[in-house]
């Protein structure tokens, strides 16, 4: 294959053949194509796009750049959930244990937080001893014992995505729907799953802020995932305010544990219920959405999901006593609050700004190699639509650096909008693809 010829073909808007895409990805993964040629290729894709067939071929080529887990020795249906990333999104810590306690196998390979969005691995690593860097053999052992496992990406699974993503990050080619779809699906398909539920976020705290773009990505993910042979259900959900109350790693672990004890914030519980219900449907454990929702509520109320999370924490080297004793989690030294400047109703709590304030405190990373502080973050005590009176607390910030605390407090203050008139919060679930009766 002549690499400049292939770049030119895409640059001029022509469709690439399956063989060309596979060869390009194989050679790039082996280091035979330099980054400068791959960067030009990515920019050509960014502007010219890929059609459905090319996107499916790219996904498969990236998937087969490494191993695909063979989980056929496990009897359960293998179903995972993926979120495109948001602020305060700790759903994986609730959904995976409920789904596993319900009889699914959940081989969850998650990411780290980047920018204002959080990542499941960072939240888990705030639990003393929790190891997200298991080998694939260790991961299989945990899956066998617990029915679920939570680890980070390994070099063996979809290595092409790791290289391509790092290059996209520095060449302004991240925001391309076919490239995002191939990136997400190649990693998820490498888990050897039968089905995937996708939480595609939209709104100020999301990666794709406009509903139309979120719908386009969700459609592409459903079409390509289905073409690659797995069941896929996407929900498009609102991320204009943080999900739940806690933003920041250890703070979010506490909120997830509270949710597993039946005391979760209403929006978080609703989203976890919907996403888990779709996982149960895809896995064939329930036949209707209502029955699947009821199963979520029953399993949560039984305490089995909390036990499941404690079991996984122990199996992955963590201190499972955190489940009952939150003082075992890291705690920040300082706190401050933002209060309502006037009587009224919370009209906005801009998710991106709250996420950025939390990142500034140290809960997130600007770059992939930044070190994070697990203890810090923000608790949003009022949500959009809540009434407030002058001086009432809306947010509490937790910090280990007083200078950062002052700056973050200003950011949170600017993120809050108060209206004199009652305000209705946006619905959380904005659309389902495929549409659901
Ligand atoms: N998440 C991914 O895994 N890949 C992308 O390209 C964007 C978001």
């Amino acid at each position: 294959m002549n690499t400049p010829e292939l770049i030119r073909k895409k640059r001029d808007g022509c469709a690439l053949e399956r063989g060309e895409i596979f060869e390009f990805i194989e050679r790039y993964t082996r280091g035979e194509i330099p980054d400068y040629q791959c960067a030009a290729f990515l920019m050509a894709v960014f502007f010219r796009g890929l059609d459905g067939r090319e996107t499916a071929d790219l996904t498969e080529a990236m998937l087969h750049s490494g191993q695909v887990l063979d989980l056929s020795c496990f009897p359960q249906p293998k179903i995972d959930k993926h979120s495109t990333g948001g602020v305060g999104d700790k759903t994986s810590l609730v959904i995976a244990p409920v789904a596993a306690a319900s009889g699914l196998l959940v081989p969850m390979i998650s990411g780290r937080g980047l920018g204002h969005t959080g990542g499941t691995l960072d939240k888990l690593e705030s639990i003393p001893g929790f190891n997200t860097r298991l080998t694939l053999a260790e991961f299989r052992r945990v899956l066998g014992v617990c029915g679920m496992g939570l680890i980070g990406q390994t070099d063996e699974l979809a290595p092409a995505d790791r290289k391509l993503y790092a290059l996209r990050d520095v060449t302004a080619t991240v925001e391309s729907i076919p490239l995002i779809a191939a990136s997400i699906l190649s990693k998820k398909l490498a888990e050897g799953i039968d089905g995937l539920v996708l939480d595609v976020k939209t709104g100020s705290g999301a990666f794709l802020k406009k509903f139309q773009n979120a719908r386009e990505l969700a459609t592409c993910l459903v079409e390509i995932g289905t073409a690659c042979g797995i069941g896929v259900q996407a929900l498009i959900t609102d991320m204009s305010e943080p999900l739940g109350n806690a933003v920041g790693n250890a703070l979010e672990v506490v909120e997830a544990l509270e949710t597993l004890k039946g005391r979760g914030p209403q929006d978080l519980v609703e989203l976890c219920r919907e996403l888990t219900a779709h996982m149960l449907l895809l896995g064939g454990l329930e036949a209707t959405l209502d029955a699947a929702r009821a199963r979520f509520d029953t399993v949560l109320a039984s305490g089995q999901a909390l036990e499941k999370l404690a079991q996984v924490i122990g199996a992955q080297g963590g201190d499972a006593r955190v489940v009952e004793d939150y003082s075992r989690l890291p705690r920040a030294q300082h706190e401050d609050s933002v209060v309502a400047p006037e009587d009224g109703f919370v009209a906005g709590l801009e998710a991106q700004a709250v996420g950025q304030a939390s990142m500034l405190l140290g809960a997130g990373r600007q770059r992939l190699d930044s070190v994070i502080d697990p203890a810090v973050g923000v608790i949003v005590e009022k949500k959009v639509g809540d009434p407030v009176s002058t001086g009432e607390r809306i947010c509490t910030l937790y910090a280990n650096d007083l200078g950062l605390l002052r700056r973050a407090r200003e950011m949170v203050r600017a993120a809050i909008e108060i209206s004199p008139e009652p305000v209705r919060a946006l619905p959380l679930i904005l659309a389902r693809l495929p549409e659901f009766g």
Side-chain angles (χ1 to χ4, degrees), residues 9-52:
K9 198 169 167 185
K10 186 40 63 187
R11 183 202 67 188
D12 294 344
C14 302
L16 302 175
E17 285 159 27
R18 181 176 170 86
E20 290 174 318
I21 294 175
F22 268 72
E23 196 183 333
F24 182 84
I25 293 298
E26 272 165 27
R27 292 186 50 218
Y28 179 62
T29 310
R30 285 201 301 261
E32 292 167 16
I33 293 178
D35 279 350
Y36 55 82
Q37 282 184 316
C38 188
F41 170 77
L42 292 171
M43 194 54 86
V45 171
F46 182 90
F47 282 113
R48 289 298 192 169
L50 296 176
D51 65 23

Side-chain angles (χ1 to χ4, degrees), residues 62 82-85 111 153 161 164-165 168 173-188 207 217:
M62 289 166 65
H82 176 81
S83 157
T84 56
Q153 250 227 287
D161 177 62
L164 283 168
Y165 194 86
R168 286 168 59 208
T173 51
V174 170
E175 302 90 342
S176 150
I177 287 185
L179 292 179
I180 297 172
S183 164
I184 292 174
L185 287 172
S186 61
K187 284 181 291 222
K188 288 289 155 182
F207 178 52
L217 176 61

Side-chain angles (χ1 to χ4, degrees), residues 3-4 21 39 41 56 72 93 98 116 150 186 201 212 244 250 282 290 341 346 385 409 436-437:
T3 305
I21 294 175
F41 170 77
S72 56
L93 305 187
V98 179
H116 68 279
L150 297 150
S186 61
K201 309 263 189 210
Q212 219 22 59
L282 282 182
D290 279 342
V346 179
R409 187 170 174 279
F436 225 84

